[in-house]
Amino acid sequence: MRRTTRRTTAARVGLSSLLLAGSWAAFGLTPAATAAPDPAPVASGAVLAGMERDLGLTPAEAKARLAAEKEATAVEKKAQRAAGAAYGGSWFDAEKGALVVAVSDRAAADAVTEAGASVRLVEHSAKTLDAAKERIDGLDAPRGVAGWRVDPQANSVVVSVVGDQADGKAVRGFVERARAAGPVEVETVAAAPETFAAGTVGGDPYYTGNVRCSIGFSVHGGFVTAGHCGPTGQGVRGWDNSTIGSFQGSSFPGDDMAYVSVGNGWWTVPVVLGWGTVSDQLVRGSAEAPVGASICRSGSTTHWHCGTVLAKNETVNYSQGAVHEMTKTSVCAEGGDSGGSFISGDQAQGVTSGGWGNCSGGGETWYQPVNEILGRYGLTLHTA
């Protein structure tokens, strides 16, 4: 997304300098890497290399896992319909290489199996768990509560509390009220989540005031990113300090999503950067990956890292307030990565919101699902 109106060479070089998304065709440019592609492979070298490094897989294992995850993604909605009211959630089992669907009624098991998924019998339906979580969402959480989510594997709402604050009166009181809302389990986590914005430093970011964040995915007319990076109307500058556009919509807390317009000589392409470590990744859609699937993240501070989807529909309790319907991953991130791309295979998943830890010692990260952002602002994802 480098700004230029005459130097096409500089525009091509810009692909390796800033998180990009959008369409070259609008400017009559066709990079060789995207010209008349053959049928899409399971994944690009960027995804495979990241999975090999961060998940400890061989090239063959990475390809096999991505193929199995693609099949699981295709099966998930069909299996949910087959389960009907007995649906209790689903996740990808990496050892089995298959989707597992929880059902609260044994009578639904055969239909789910016929849809192509494995079955686990549970006590509570997803509807019951979602209702319990919604009741907990109405509670005021103290800082020692990191968040809460519906966990289909645990078949309960899991409340995360920070280890050194777990015995505090406010945390214990919140847990007690949460248990009254429905089936709840409590887990201890190492630290409270924080957003990943950063002050202005060198690199290839975008800037809002003195805050640096990362671009997420291209949409027609601009890009999506994290809401905590700037309010509606806030101007956005690029790596060279020139104007890109402005926030056309922004929500945080409650949500962590935003839409930024693109103009002033800037444009967008359907690409997630590999930052020279791995090859750049084309974006071909936004099919939602199941829990347990592999996922990679690109950001302007720590560049390219991979992990797995740990949970969905989690409420994350930041110091600024709770953010709902987030997805948790095992991927690390650091300050300045906020707003950056989460991608599974070649499918856009979401924009980086926050987490705990770093890419030296490890940690966890949450993202705002991209399809929610597209729906909120009526946007269309640019795809290759």
Side-chain angles (χ1 to χ4, degrees), residues 292-384:
S294 61
I295 195 165
C296 298
R297 180 194 56 74
S298 184
S300 63
T301 297
T302 58
H303 299 171
W304 186 269
H305 288 274
C306 297
T308 58
V309 178
L310 298 178
K312 296 183 180 182
N313 191 26
E314 180 156 359
T315 297
V316 180
N317 190 35
Y318 294 125
S319 60
Q320 301 94 328
V323 177
H324 308 294
E325 298 182 10
M326 302 285 276
T327 298
K328 180 166 72 171
T329 80
S330 64
V331 187
C332 67
E334 296 179 13
D337 287 328
S338 278
S341 318
F342 269 93
I343 189 166
S344 182
D346 56 10
Q347 300 294 304
Q349 298 298 308
V351 301
T352 304
S353 173
W356 63 270
N358 55 52
C359 290
S360 297
E364 295 175 335
T365 302
W366 286 263
Y367 65 79
Q368 179 82 68
V370 69
N371 287 331
E372 293 183 27
I373 307 175
L374 299 177
R376 171 69 62 85
Y377 298 119
L379 303 172
T380 300
L381 185 71
H382 274 181
T383 56

Side-chain angles (χ1 to χ4, degrees), residues 68-115:
E69 290 174 356
K70 186 175 182 179
E71 176 64 21
T73 299
V75 165
E76 189 169 29
K77 293 299 182 185
K78 183 167 60 174
Q80 182 176 352
R81 289 193 296 270
Y87 180 71
S90 56
W91 61 93
F92 178 76
D93 187 320
E95 292 187 3
K96 294 181 178 179
L99 186 76
V100 180
V101 174
V103 295
S104 59
D105 185 345
R106 191 180 298 275
D110 288 344
V112 172
T113 301
E114 290 176 4

